[in-house]
Each structure stands twice: as structure tokens, then as C-alpha cells.
Amino acid sequence: MATEDKLAFRFDCGATWLNFLATKGRTFSAAPVERLATAGLLAEWLERCELSPAQPPDQDDLHQAWTLRETLRAIALATVEEEPPPATAVATLAAFVAGHDDPVRLTAADRLRREPPATTAHALARIARQAVDQMTGSDRLALKRCPEDDCRGVFIDPPGRRRWCPSPACASRGRVRALRARRNAATSGSGSGSGSGSNDDHTPTSAR
């Protein structure tokens, strides 16, 4: 079985802004995975998202990207849980978007294209606006949160059938834990049963 590269960028969350959140893995663990550790990696990620700015990112841009990412994460988690978002996060996001006007200039060549962002901040503002559009409209209902406490990754799941985020590691850990829980429940049930046939408190797990 192939080993998952923890530092590899993820582009499977359903939208660019959600992939942006995924540039940090296992966010709520004791050892989070930073996939945008350098300005060069930020430049690579933006290029793969077709958002390369005219001026390459520098260290200040990297810190700004980290701040925006965690601001969006806080609001996204509140949105999924249908709770009021943190007021400070909303104020930070609103100020960032308002401070980076980025007119839409389109060109028609081999396909419809938009003029590249002038700076990294403008590229990030495009990501922020995409996030705002989704979280303030009905599309927010398709958002879901990974149940793994150390991940809590947000992703799009329109059918509502996916339990974990697209990371294979989260699904694997979750399934192993669920299997252990079922086995423990089965062992506990078989050890405490009286054989009376009553199913009030001893319904087999598989029948629930």
C-alpha cells in the first residue's frame, strides 16, 4: 500500500478556497502539517491553482496567507456547525477583502481567461471572495466537516454521503476506531447478557 505524502498539496476538497484550508493538515493536532512552509511553496500552490501573481510571493505574503487561511477556517467551521462565526474573524476577512479591489478583466483566447492577479494579496483576495460567496449562499449547505478531531477539514459533499474528508488517513483512522468500538461493544454485550432473550439493553450492534 502506498504511503500518503503528508506534505503533498491537496486539491480534492471541492473548491480552491477549501484546498487553501487544506494547505495545513491535522490542524488541531499537537503536530500540524504545514504545506505552505515557504514563500516558494506558496508560489507553487498559486501556480497550480492558476492564480500566479505578476510579482512572486515574499515572506510577508506568506504570513498574510497563513492569517487569511486560519481566518477562513474559523468562519468555515462555524458555518458548517450553523453557529455564529467569530466576530474578530469576520472583521478581519471583511477588511482584507475591502482592502484589495481586484476588477474582473476578461480575455477570450483558447478559452475564457481572467487577467492574472497583480500581487499575491490580490490572488488571496480572489480566494477569499470565493469563500464568502459560498458561505453566504445556499451552497454553504453542501459543506461538511471531517469528524476527526485533529483534522476538522472542511470539504464539499453535495450528496451528503461522505463521512470523512478526502484524506485517506482520516478515513483509515476513523474506520479502525469504529471497528474497535464495535468489537468492544460486542464483547461487553456478550459478557453481560443473561440469556433471557430480552433486547431492552442488549440489542446487537449490527441490528442498530
Side-chain angles (χ1 to χ4, degrees), residues 106-145:
L106 303 176
T107 62
D110 56 324
R111 63 176 176 81
L112 182 66
R113 294 180 182 273
R114 184 176 177 181
E115 191 173 271
T119 66
T120 298
H122 286 91
L124 295 174
R126 292 187 188 184
I127 295 171
R129 289 188 178 92
Q130 184 191 58
V132 169
D133 286 343
Q134 179 146 27
M135 290 190 286
T136 57
S138 60
D139 285 345
R140 74 186 186 282
L141 302 176
L143 295 175
K144 199 166 184 178
R145 178 182 72 83

Side-chain angles (χ1 to χ4, degrees), residues 71 85-93:
T71 297
T88 53
V90 173
T92 298
L93 178 58

